Amino acid sequence: MTARYARVVVDSRLPQLDRLFEYRVPPALEGVAPGVRVRVPLRGDRTAAGYVVEVADARAWEGEVADIEAVVSPVPVLRPEVWALARAVADRAAGGAADVLRVAIPGRQARVEKAWLARAAEGAAAEAAEPAATEGAELTETDASPEPDAPPESPAPLEPDDASAPLLPGLVEARRKVALECAGGVAEVPVAGGGTAWVGRWAVALAGLARQAVERGEQAILVVPDHREQRQLRLALEAAVGEERVVELDARQRNPERYAGFLRCVDGGGLAIIGPRSAVYAPAADLGLLVVWEDGDPLLAEPLSPWVHARDAALVRQGQTGCALVIAGHARSTDAERLVEVGFLEHERVGAHRVRVLPTALADDGRRVPAAAFHAAREALASRPVLVQVARPGHAPGLRCGDCGTRARCAACGGPLGQRTRGGQPGCRLCGRLAAAWRCPSCHGIRLVEVGRGSTRIAEELGRAIPGVPVVVADGEHERLTIDARPRIVVATRGAEPVADGGYGAVLLLDGDSLLAREGLRVAEEAVRQWATARALAAEGATVVLAGVIGPTVGALTGDTTVPFAKAELAERRSLRFPPAVRTASVVGHPDAVAEALEALAGIEHLDVLGPVPAEGAPGDRLERAIVRFAYADGAHVAGVARGRVLAAAARPRKPGAPPRLRIRLDDPEPFDGL
C-alpha cells in the first residue's frame, strides 16, 4: 500500500512551531483528511493537537517522519478558506496562524459532532437512494421537487419605509466594496411566533443586504461589536431571510450551541452568519457578503496575539474571495475614510433621520444638566421615554481626601477608588477590592469626598428634579436591552443604551466635556461615534441635546453626515504620520533584542523610528520600547522582518516563566492612547 503523508498545523503558541509539519499516515489509521483534528508527536514523548491542512501521496520532507498518533475527530472543522485566511492575517500581523485558529474554531463538543455525523450519513444515504427510487419513473409537474441545494422560500419582505426600502440593489451580485454611513432611527420587525420587536433601522438595512446573498445560495457574514447589536441584527435577519437561515456564533453561547452553529456553517448553503469579531473567520465556502458594523468600536480589536482587528481580517478575506464588502456605521471611522480616499471603498449613505441637535455649554452654576436639556426632557416625557447618556457607572466615579484633596487610590493595585451606591463602601475600580479602612498617604486623613457623578447618582438627581417620573439605570450592572414606550427617564452609560419602542422622545448627551478631556489619538473620533449611536435611538423629530461640548466635534453631530469630520481627522493624522495614515509596529523587549530588530528594519524605505524609551515590565526586567512607522505598501516586508527577529529571539535560552525577549505588535493602538 502506498504511504500517505499529512501536513499538519500544530496548536502551539511557540513562534518557532508556526509552520506545517509533515507526518506519515499509518495504514491502519482511518479518517485522516484535510480539516480534521489530530494528535501528533513532538520531540521526545510530548504530543500536541493540530489540524490536517493537506494530504499527499508523496513526501516533501526528506528527514525522519513520525506517524500521526490519532484522529481526534473526523469532522473537517478547518475549512480551506479559513486556513487561507488564518495564514494570511497571521503573516500580515507577524504572528502565528495557530493563534488565529484558536479564535476561529470553537472547542470540540463530542455529542454535537455525533449528531452532526449522523445527519450527514442520513443525507448521504438518502442522496444515494434517490436515483434508484426514481429510475425509470416519469416525473410530472406535480411530482417535481426543488433542487436539493435550493434555499427554501424566503418570507415576505418587510414593508418598506425610509430605511428598509431596497438598499443598494445588486450590491452582492456586483461584488461592490462600500463604506456605508447609516442614518439613525428605529423600525418594527416581525418576530418568530408572532408579535413584533423594535430594532435600529441600520439592522433592517443590513438584513436587506444579507438577503441578497442568501437568495443566491451564498453565505453572508455580519460582524458586530457586542451582543446588543447582535440581538437587533438577528431579529432583523430572521424577519428578512427566515429563522432557519440565521446562524449565531458567539462566545456568550453555551459551548454545544456555539459548536452546533459552527457545524451548520460547515454544511454551507444560503446562510446569514452573525457574531462578534471572531465571526469574521466563520466557515463560508461560498461567501457572497461580508459586513463589519461600527468598525471604529474598540471591541472589534482582538485582544489576543496576533491582535488582528476584525476590519483588517475582513479586508484580507475580501481580497481572497472577491465577495461584496460593507464597512458600515452611524459615524465614519478614519480607517474607513482612508479606504474611501485611496479608492478601495465607495462612499454610500442610506436613510434619513430627522432630529434636532442642540449643542449647549454647561450652566454657569456647574450643573451637569443644562436648562435646555431639562426643557427638552419635560416636553418629551409627555408621551415618550427620554435617554440620558452619561460617562461612568456607579454613584461616584472618583473619591479624594476631604482634607488635602489627594486622589484616593487602592492600596493593593494603585487603581482609583469609587462608590457604586450612595453611602456604600469605597472600592477599587480596577481590582474591586474594598477600602473600608482607607487612610490618606499624604495627610493621614480618613474623610473621603465624592468626585464626579456616575449613572446612579445622576439618576437620583433627575428623580428629584422631575418628580413623579420613573427613572431607570442601564449600565454594566443593570443591563437593559429594550424598554417599552411609556414615559420614563433612562440613564445609561455609553454603549449600554437600550432600544426604546418607537424611539426616544429626547436624547441628552451629558459629560461631553469629560469625554473629550481624555488623552488619546482617537478620543474625538470615539466620542462622535458614541454620540451618533445614541442619537440614532431617537424618534423622528426628537430633540438631541449635546452638553458641554464646543469645537469641530459639534459639527460632526449637528450635520447630516460625519464624513467631513472623519476627513479632517484623517488629514491631521496624515500630516503627523499617525495611524491610520500610516501603519505602526511597537517593538518591546530586552535592549539588545530591540536594537537588533530596529537594525534589521532600518533598510526599509519610508520607515522611521520613535524611541527606544524605557518600558514597563516585571521587577528586575530592563525593557525598552520603540515605535516603527511605515507605509502600507511596505507592510509585508516589515511583517516578514519582524517575524524573523521574533523567531531569532525565541531561539535564545531564557529562564522558565520569563517573558519573551522580544515582542513586536503591528498596528498597536496602545502607544497612542496618551497622545
Side-chain angles (χ1 to χ4, degrees):
M1 179 180 294
T2 304
R4 294 192 305 147
Y5 300 89
R7 280 134 203 164
V8 177
V9 55
V10 176
D11 185 6
S12 172
R13 299 182 186 275
L14 297 176
Q16 54 267 43
L17 299 184
D18 181 35
R19 57 187 177 89
L20 294 183
F21 288 84
E22 191 167 66
Y23 292 90
R24 191 176 76 96
V25 180
L29 188 62
E30 298 181 352
V32 178
V36 303
R37 304 179 198 252
V38 293
R39 181 156 291 279
V40 295
L42 293 178
R43 289 183 179 177
D45 57 354
R46 293 183 302 161
T47 62
Y51 302 95
V52 175
V53 173
E54 56 187 33
V55 178
D57 294 332
R59 57 188 297 181
W61 173 250
E62 296 299 330
E64 183 180 355
V65 178
D67 287 352
I68 292 178
E69 286 199 351
V71 174
V72 177
S73 165
V75 178
V77 292
L78 177 56
R79 308 301 294 174
E81 69 275 8
V82 177
W83 166 248
L85 177 62
R87 182 70 272 168
V89 298
D91 289 343
R92 183 183 187 276
D99 292 332
V100 179
L101 294 180
R102 211 170 291 120
V103 173
I105 303 176
R108 178 176 180 248
Q109 300 293 312
R111 290 186 179 181
V112 175
E113 278 191 353
K114 185 178 180 180
W116 184 86
L117 290 169
R119 287 194 302 271
E122 291 175 2
E127 187 175 347
E130 184 177 355
T134 59
E135 186 175 358
E138 185 176 343
L139 287 176
T140 65
E141 184 177 352
T142 55
D143 294 328
S145 60
E147 291 295 325
D149 293 334
E153 183 180 354
S154 298
L158 299 173
E159 288 297 321
D161 58 21
D162 288 345
S164 60
L167 170 64
L168 307 180
L171 177 139
V172 173
E173 183 177 5
R175 299 311 202 222
R176 294 181 61 193
K177 297 174 291 186
V178 171
L180 185 65
E181 188 180 26
C182 295
V186 295
E188 197 171 15
V189 297
V191 297
T196 59
W198 287 88
V199 300
R201 286 181 179 174
W202 65 269
V204 178
L206 297 186
L209 291 179
R211 181 171 181 162
Q212 294 183 29
V214 173
E215 288 180 341
R216 291 167 53 89
E218 298 174 334
Q219 297 90 48
I221 296 178
L222 302 100
V223 181
V224 294
D226 70 6
H227 67 285
R228 298 174 181 276
E229 290 92 348
Q230 184 172 324
R231 171 193 164 275
Q232 297 180 61
L233 190 52
R234 173 178 55 81
L235 293 173
L237 284 167
E238 290 175 353
V241 303
E243 186 178 5
E244 72 284 353
R245 289 293 180 182
V246 180
V247 176
E248 290 186 275
L249 296 179
D250 187 357
R252 291 169 57 95
Q253 295 173 298
R254 294 184 302 109
N255 290 337
E257 183 180 355
R258 183 186 181 195
Y259 195 54
F262 178 85
L263 295 182
R264 178 68 184 90
C265 298
V266 171
D267 288 335
L271 291 177
I273 306 166
I274 56 174
R277 56 182 177 262
S278 60
V280 74
Y281 302 105
D286 299 308
L287 185 61
L289 172 68
L290 185 50
V291 177
V292 179
W293 173 251
E294 292 287 11
D295 69 295
D297 194 312
L299 290 176
L300 291 178
E302 178 59 55
L304 302 175
S305 175
W307 308 285
V308 178
H309 195 287
R311 176 189 54 249
D312 296 331
L315 293 172
V316 173
R317 189 161 196 176
Q318 192 284 327
Q320 293 178 333
T321 64
C323 67
L325 175 67
V326 176
I327 307 294
H330 290 306
R332 175 69 54 81
S333 70
T334 52
D335 300 86
E337 180 57 28
R338 186 192 70 84
L339 293 170
V340 172
E341 292 186 8
V342 299
F344 183 81
L345 297 179
E346 307 172 54
H347 164 72
E348 291 283 0
R349 178 175 169 81
V350 60
H353 189 211
R354 294 173 291 275
V355 296
R356 183 177 59 149
V357 180
L358 298 178
T360 176
L362 294 178
D364 293 338
D365 58 4
R367 290 180 299 171
R368 304 306 300 170
V369 184
F374 270 118
H375 179 71
R378 288 192 175 97
E379 280 192 344
L381 286 169
S383 58
R384 289 183 179 274
V386 170
L387 173 64
V388 181
Q389 185 196 69
V390 298
R392 303 179 184 88
H395 180 74
L399 297 171
R400 59 178 175 84
C401 176
D403 297 324
C404 69
T406 300
R407 185 70 180 268
R409 294 192 174 276
C410 176
C413 72
L417 298 184
Q419 278 182 314
R420 292 186 175 181
T421 59
R422 178 183 294 274
Q425 291 282 4
C428 180
R429 290 170 51 196
L430 292 184
C431 69
R433 183 171 301 187
L434 295 180
W438 179 85
R439 184 176 292 273
C440 178
S442 299
C443 70
H444 306 292
I446 60 173
R447 187 169 61 91
L448 288 169
V449 177
E450 298 174 352
V451 178
R453 292 171 171 84
S455 55
T456 56
R457 182 176 178 182
I458 291 178
E460 293 172 3
E461 294 175 353
L462 289 173
R464 292 193 297 267
I466 310 179
V469 177
V471 181
V472 297
V473 174
D475 55 24
E477 295 183 2
H478 312 86
E479 184 177 69
R480 293 177 181 269
L481 300 179
T482 62
I483 63 166
D484 58 39
R486 289 177 296 176
R488 69 186 70 186
I489 298 174
V490 180
V491 180
T493 51
R494 297 188 302 273
E497 304 92 346
V499 178
D501 293 357
Y504 290 97
V507 175
L508 314 183
L509 306 174
L510 306 186
D511 298 334
D513 54 337
S514 62
L515 179 60
L516 294 176
R518 298 181 304 157
E519 294 183 342
L521 183 64
R522 295 181 181 264
V523 165
E525 181 181 350
E526 178 66 3
V528 169
R529 186 190 66 80
Q530 292 172 341
W531 292 334
T533 299
R535 179 184 63 179
L537 297 174
E540 289 293 311
T543 298
V544 178
V545 179
L546 178 58
V549 180
I550 57 175
T553 52
V554 173
L557 200 67
T558 56
D560 294 332
T561 174
T562 62
V563 171
F565 173 80
K567 285 182 176 291
E569 281 281 303
L570 181 59
E572 182 178 5
R573 295 189 208 169
R574 188 174 286 118
S575 66
L576 298 172
R577 284 183 59 80
F578 284 163
V582 296
R583 291 189 68 188
T584 62
S586 58
V587 183
V588 181
H590 290 208
D592 57 339
V594 171
E596 291 171 0
L598 296 180
E599 183 179 358
L601 292 167
I604 300 177
E605 192 177 0
H606 306 304
L607 180 145
D608 65 285
V609 178
L610 305 177
V613 297
E616 295 183 2
D621 285 342
R622 181 168 168 258
L623 302 179
E624 290 185 345
R625 182 184 71 186
I627 302 173
V628 177
R629 301 188 292 192
F630 55 95
Y632 282 82
D634 296 324
H637 190 180
V638 172
V641 174
R643 188 64 175 165
R645 296 317 310 166
V646 170
L647 288 172
R652 295 182 182 178
R654 58 188 175 98
K655 297 179 181 178
R661 289 180 52 82
L662 180 68
R663 191 192 77 175
I664 300 180
R665 178 177 177 181
L666 273 66
D667 306 308
D668 183 5
E670 183 180 348
F672 301 93
D673 286 344
L675 294 178

